Amino acid sequence: MGFNNVQLLLQPVQAGQLVGLAVAEPKRMPALPDLPAVAETVPGFEMAPWVGIIAPARTPKEIVQRLSQETLAIMRDPQVVKQLTDQQVTPFPRGGDQLGELMRKDLDKWAGVIKTAGIKGE
């Protein structure tokens, strides 16, 4: 048993070579509609990866705003959305403040998991 990304495992699961148990996305995925999300059994569970574009803290605000504007426009482009969706990537465009909040939330969540599990860096 293990976790891996849907892109890698989609074909083997659809071909019956592997048995999918659940997805770690917040909800079921269109490519695997019969496969439940873990959150259906464990409310609040989410371990979906995300990708963001960040800039150094002292980057001028107008540059950050322009980068955010252009990135959001690309992420909302129907062709880009289709391409990502076809690759089992769920686009969820967020502005800079929203990305910062997501990062803080994930850092808090995983810090708690690390502390509870007693994980130590090597």
Side-chain angles (χ1 to χ4, degrees):
M1 181 171 1
F3 271 99
N4 211 317
N5 65 53
V6 175
Q7 296 155 310
L8 182 65
L9 300 178
L10 180 62
Q11 288 181 336
V13 168
Q14 289 177 330
Q17 297 167 322
L18 292 175
V19 176
L21 301 177
V23 295
E25 296 283 332
K27 59 185 182 179
R28 293 180 187 224
M29 297 187 73
L32 298 165
D34 296 329
L35 203 59
V38 174
E40 293 177 35
T41 305
V42 182
F45 181 92
E46 180 181 338
M47 198 171 73
W50 53 265
V51 176
I53 297 175
I54 58 174
R58 293 189 177 118
T59 302
K61 191 170 189 107
E62 61 274 2
I63 292 175
V64 171
Q65 288 174 336
R66 175 75 188 268
L67 180 60
S68 180
Q69 261 183 325
E70 297 298 332
T71 303
L72 287 171
I74 291 166
M75 292 301 298
R76 291 181 176 126
D77 180 285
Q79 289 180 314
V80 173
V81 171
K82 181 181 181 336
Q83 185 175 14
L84 291 170
T85 303
D86 287 350
Q87 295 175 41
Q88 310 314 308
V89 175
T90 304
F92 62 106
R94 302 286 188 266
D97 291 340
Q98 293 170 315
L99 178 59
E101 181 59 33
L102 176 64
M103 292 171 71
R104 282 186 288 284
K105 186 176 116 183
D106 272 5
L107 286 170
D108 289 345
K109 173 175 65 174
W110 293 111
V113 169
I114 289 167
K115 183 177 180 180
T116 300
I119 298 170
K120 304 287 183 209
E122 294 182 19

